[in-house]
């Protein structure tokens, strides 16, 4: 964020604090799962989906590690929303997130189609992979970036169930072609790590970000 914008953000945050308006959580995402996580955690976020070219960002990072790639995508989303709505959200906490599955050393995003979902599941059924979720949290001109990694043990799902799951449409727009909290939970044998990160946003990471800014989680509860 440019220095001028940093100064403006800090000034707005200070004015909001002096005026008694607490900062809000602005979610730079259109993911229902991420919004649902925050709501279940007592926070009603402002939803401001970010329009970024994810494929272009990935293509610009040929030598980056998987963790760096998802962090870069999260940063791009948070910064885009903060820049596009500087006057509205300068005194608020803006959160960008991105999740991808790391299987056999390759990052897997959203399958988008039923056919691609079936192929993904044929490849990952009975296997172990790592769900990486990048976070970028902005407040008052400061930035907190962290990638969470959770190990996912996929069940040896039968072909009929794979086809049926893909046909529901649920996994088509999900990183790794699965959900943990809905129908996909039938086909996850276990995880090692933070379950909220697998759903789309690590509450522990967000908590650490808020603490780094001198904010408290409870201040955002409705």
């Amino acid at each position: 964020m440019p220095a001028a914008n940093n100064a403006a953000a800090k000034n707005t945050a200070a004015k909001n604090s002096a005026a008694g308006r607490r900062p809000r959580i602005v979610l730079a995402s259109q993911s229902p799962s991420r919004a649902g996580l925050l709501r279940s955690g007592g926070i009603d976020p402002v939803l401001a989906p970010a329009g970024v070219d994810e494929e272009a960002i990935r293509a610009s990072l040929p030598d980056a590690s998987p963790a760096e790639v998802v962090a870069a995508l999260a940063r791009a989303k948070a910064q885009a929303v903060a820049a596009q709505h500087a006057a509205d959200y300068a005194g608020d906490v803006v959160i960008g997130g991105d999740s991808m599955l790391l299987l056999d050393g390759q990052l897997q995003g959203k399958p988008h189609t039923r056919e691609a979902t079936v192929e993904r599941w044929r490849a990952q059924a009975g296997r172990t992979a790592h769900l990486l979720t990048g976070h970028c949290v902005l407040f008052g001109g400061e930035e907190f970036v962290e990638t969470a990694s959770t190990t996912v043990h996929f069940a040896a799902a039968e072909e009929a169930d794979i086809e049926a799951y893909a046909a529901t449409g649920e996994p088509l727009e999900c990183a790794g072609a699965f959900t943990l909290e809905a129908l996909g939970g039938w086909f996850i044998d276990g995880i090692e790590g933070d379950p909220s990160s697998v759903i789309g946003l690590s509450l522990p990471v967000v908590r650490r970000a808020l603490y780094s800014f001198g904010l408290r989680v409870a201040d955002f509860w409705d």
Side-chain angles (χ1 to χ4, degrees):
M1 191 181 293
N5 287 349
N6 284 352
K10 290 180 178 179
N11 289 338
T12 302
K15 290 177 181 178
N16 286 342
S17 178
R21 180 176 94 71
R22 63 180 182 177
R24 301 167 296 178
I25 296 292
V26 178
L27 185 60
S29 171
Q30 60 184 358
S31 166
S33 296
R34 291 191 181 109
L37 269 172
L38 289 173
R39 292 187 182 114
S40 67
I43 295 172
D44 188 18
V46 177
L47 302 181
V52 300
D53 189 337
E54 297 186 21
E55 291 303 318
I57 294 170
R58 291 184 62 186
S60 71
L61 301 168
D63 300 320
S65 69
E68 290 170 338
V69 170
V70 294
L73 290 167
R75 181 185 288 112
K77 294 175 183 178
Q79 291 180 341
V81 167
Q84 292 165 9
H85 304 278
D88 297 322
Y89 303 147
D92 297 317
V93 176
V94 178
I95 302 175
D98 191 86
S99 298
M100 300 187 79
L101 186 73
L102 184 63
L103 179 68
D104 293 332
Q106 299 295 318
L107 284 173
Q108 310 288 335
K110 302 171 184 176
H112 298 302
T113 69
R114 177 175 172 178
E115 294 75 20
T117 300
V118 170
E119 290 303 313
R120 291 277 190 87
W121 267 95
R122 286 172 179 166
Q124 66 198 33
R127 306 278 305 283
T128 295
H130 301 279
L131 198 288
L132 304 181
T133 299
H135 303 73
C136 179
V137 188
L138 308 177
F139 176 71
E142 304 294 329
E143 178 182 270
F144 182 98
V145 178
E146 183 176 328
T147 295
S149 176
T150 303
T151 302
V152 181
H153 301 283
F154 291 103
E158 295 185 357
E159 181 71 15
D161 274 337
I162 290 175
E163 294 275 1
Y165 184 42
T168 67
E170 179 186 277
L172 273 59
E173 299 304 319
C174 297
F178 77 98
T179 61
L180 180 64
E181 73 278 18
L183 294 176
W186 286 100
F187 312 115
I188 306 299
D189 279 345
I191 66 168
E192 299 169 40
D194 173 18
S196 64
S197 175
V198 178
I199 296 172
L201 194 70
S202 172
L203 296 184
V205 169
V206 175
R207 183 196 67 235
R208 288 193 286 272
L210 294 177
Y211 284 178
S212 77
F213 301 138
L215 301 173
R216 298 189 311 160
V217 173
D219 291 337
F220 294 90
W221 291 344
D222 286 340

